[in-house]
């Protein structure tokens, strides 16, 4: 089944060109099924690109998915046209009475700041608490994942001496997890961050399980059953050229930065990178959506009740 997004969302043309099944709003109304309701709190600076990346992965599952784009209520995005935000995004306060099968919180370009100094930190804390009553399952990405484990478990983040930047090999530590169904033992995932959280800081009583880890880049994916959440500290959702765009952006800004690790062929930035993580990104998001589908109540009003 396809993904349902607004008819004129820019991501639609890209997804159509890639063969992703996209359902028009009028067609969705005629289908006598309940779609999976997924909210995307998009904190990334290039919101249009992130919308496309996430919609691509959600739209490759066999289930009909209805994607709702969400923003912080009072935060003004600086890198996305205001008419795009007005046309397609909902303030969190306006949708906070609604319930969702799944909710995704992205990374944000604030990772070197203390959490408490981020201008929208208080609202984000309210959103994390809201997910425990109005959302069946969460998927937190990069800084969003660091913020979640800090909020729920008090885990600190640490500034790295140099940016973890590139494509790193990771290990599958929980082959029996429903989220890693079909995963290889060894796979590659893009990493782009200045901070990290440490295995040693995971509280013993948290109930969290480490699903993915890299010898070089550290923790990657945690399963947090107590909060019905996955915490992904890296960028498995990235496009083939995302790291390249970040690298050349920093070069143009005069920043001293090495080419992304194990990304360009022969470490040559003039050569186009090869995508070695695409299949695992689709697999992870597909497993997450399937797990939501298997466990969420059919009646949305029952989400957040005991056991749901």
């Amino acid at each position: 089944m396809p993904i349902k997004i607004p008819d004129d969302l820019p991501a639609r043309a890209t997804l159509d060109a890639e063969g992703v099944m996209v359902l028009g709003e009028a067609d969705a109304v005629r289908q006598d099924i309940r779609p999976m309701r997924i909210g995307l709190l998009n904190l990334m600076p290039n919101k249009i690109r992130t919308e496309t990346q996430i919609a691509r992965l959600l739209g490759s599952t066999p289930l009909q998915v209805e994607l709702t784009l969400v923003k912080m209520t009072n935060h003004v995005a600086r890198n996305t046209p205001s008419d795009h935000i007005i046309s397609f995004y909902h303030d969190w306060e306006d949708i906070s009475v609604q319930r969702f099968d799944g909710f995704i919180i992205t990374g944000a370009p604030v990772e070197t700041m203390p959490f408490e100094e981020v201008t929208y930190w208080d609202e984000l804390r309210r959103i994390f608490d809201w997910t425990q009553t109005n959302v069946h399952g969460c998927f937190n990405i990069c800084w969003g994942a660091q913020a979640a484990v800090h909020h729920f478990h008090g885990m600190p983040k640490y500034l790295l001496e140099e940016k973890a930047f590139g494509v790193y090999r990771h290990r599958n530590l929980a082959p029996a997890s429903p989220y890693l169904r079909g995963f290889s033992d060894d796979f590659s995932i893009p990493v782009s961050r200045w901070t990290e959280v440490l295995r040693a800081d995971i509280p013993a009583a948290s109930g969290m399980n480490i699903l993915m880890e890299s010898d070089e880049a550290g923790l990657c994916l945690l399963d947090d059953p107590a909060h019905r959440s996955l915490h992904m500290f890296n960028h498995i959702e990235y496009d083939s050229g995302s790291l390249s765009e970040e690298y050349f952006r920093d070069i143009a800004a005069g920043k001293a930065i090495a080419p992304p690790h194990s990304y360009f062929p022969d470490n040559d930035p003039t050569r186009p990178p090869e995508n070695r993580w695409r299949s695992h990104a689709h697999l992870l998001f597909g497993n997450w959506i399937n797990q939501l589908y298997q466990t969420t109540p059919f009646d949305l009003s029952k989400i957040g009740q005991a056991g749901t």
Side-chain angles (χ1 to χ4, degrees), residues 68 98 101 141 168 240 271 281:
T68 299
Q98 300 180 27
D101 299 294
I141 300 173
Y168 293 87
S240 302
R271 298 176 61 184

Side-chain angles (χ1 to χ4, degrees), residues 208-219:
M208 287 195 291
N209 302 305
I210 304 173
L211 303 187
M212 300 178 184
E213 191 172 30
S214 168
D215 291 338
E216 298 169 286
L219 289 175

